[in-house]
Amino acid sequence: MSGRYAIPLSGLKEGRHTIDFEIGKEFFEQFEESEVKEGSLIANIEMDKRFSHLDFVLRISGSARICCDRCLEMFFQPVNCENRLLVKFGKNIEDIDPDILSVPADEHELDLQQHIYEFILLALPIKRVHPDDNNGNSTCDPEMLKKLEELIVEEENEND
């Protein structure tokens, strides 16, 4: 079963290899619970194959459509990240280090879809709000900002 984001391991010669994956809406549809529903990104994968391991550098750039924490409108958040992943060949499958993946020596391919997805999510900011314009003003939905302003309750200063 060959995945769209799989790297063939059998027949891959030792040395450096590069492959690009386009990431769009169909990529994120594979993750039902994803807060990211669409995007336009490129995952550039550089791999260095050695006898006993593969060393990956994954560079992901583009934008992902996410929900604004402030006004709840969707917007495109720029994504730009670089991550390393070391893949060791062997019989013992261990999950000691999240950056080191062990695969059986007779494995024919390595599907990177889950790793790419996780690297995209990790690249998103914790606070997700529309960026300010050139004048420093919020680009959030003005109607929602007005409603939020109306709901703010001023604290009453009461002394005990």
Side-chain angles (χ1 to χ4, degrees):
M1 172 169 91
S2 181
R4 183 171 179 186
Y5 303 95
I7 304 279
L9 299 178
S10 58
L12 190 65
K13 294 181 181 182
E14 286 191 24
R16 293 193 181 276
H17 305 273
T18 303
I19 189 168
D20 289 336
F21 293 119
E22 290 186 22
I23 300 168
K25 187 175 183 176
E26 66 283 346
F27 176 88
F28 295 105
E29 288 174 349
Q30 302 301 311
F31 302 92
E32 291 180 22
E33 300 297 321
S34 177
E35 59 191 288
V36 180
K37 300 299 181 199
E38 64 180 288
S40 177
L41 302 111
I42 298 289
N44 172 263
I45 315 294
E46 286 184 17
M47 59 186 151
D48 190 6
K49 183 172 186 204
R50 299 290 173 221
F51 176 74
S52 62
H53 71 278
L54 284 164
D55 192 1
F56 287 93
V57 176
L58 292 88
R59 291 180 185 90
I60 303 169
S61 60
S63 61
R65 190 165 187 248
I66 57 175
C67 182
C68 177
D69 291 340
R70 185 184 301 143
C71 71
L72 305 178
E73 292 292 322
M74 300 299 283
F75 73 102
F76 282 95
Q77 172 68 44
V79 173
N80 193 6
C81 64
E82 180 176 313
N83 300 87
R84 279 189 79 190
L85 181 65
L86 184 65
V87 178
K88 291 185 175 184
F89 300 114
K91 293 181 181 180
N92 296 336
I93 306 296
E94 299 175 5
D95 288 335
I96 297 171
D97 187 335
D99 296 328
I100 299 176
L101 182 64
S102 295
V103 296
D106 60 348
E107 191 71 31
H108 297 289
E109 67 179 17
L110 177 65
D111 193 346
L112 294 175
Q113 184 171 4
Q114 183 68 38
H115 296 283
I116 293 170
Y117 173 74
E118 290 174 6
F119 291 148
I120 291 170
L121 289 186
L122 290 172
L124 295 174
I126 293 172
K127 187 176 181 182
R128 300 168 185 176
V129 295
H130 283 92
D132 291 341
D133 64 14
N134 293 337
N135 297 325
N137 299 318
S138 173
T139 57
C140 284
D141 178 13
E143 288 184 34
M144 181 60 86
L145 291 179
K146 184 178 177 184
K147 288 179 183 178
L148 289 171
E149 193 68 35
E150 292 171 4
L151 295 173
I152 292 176
V153 177
E154 297 291 326
E155 279 189 40
E156 295 179 19
N157 291 332
E158 292 184 19
N159 293 332
D160 290 336

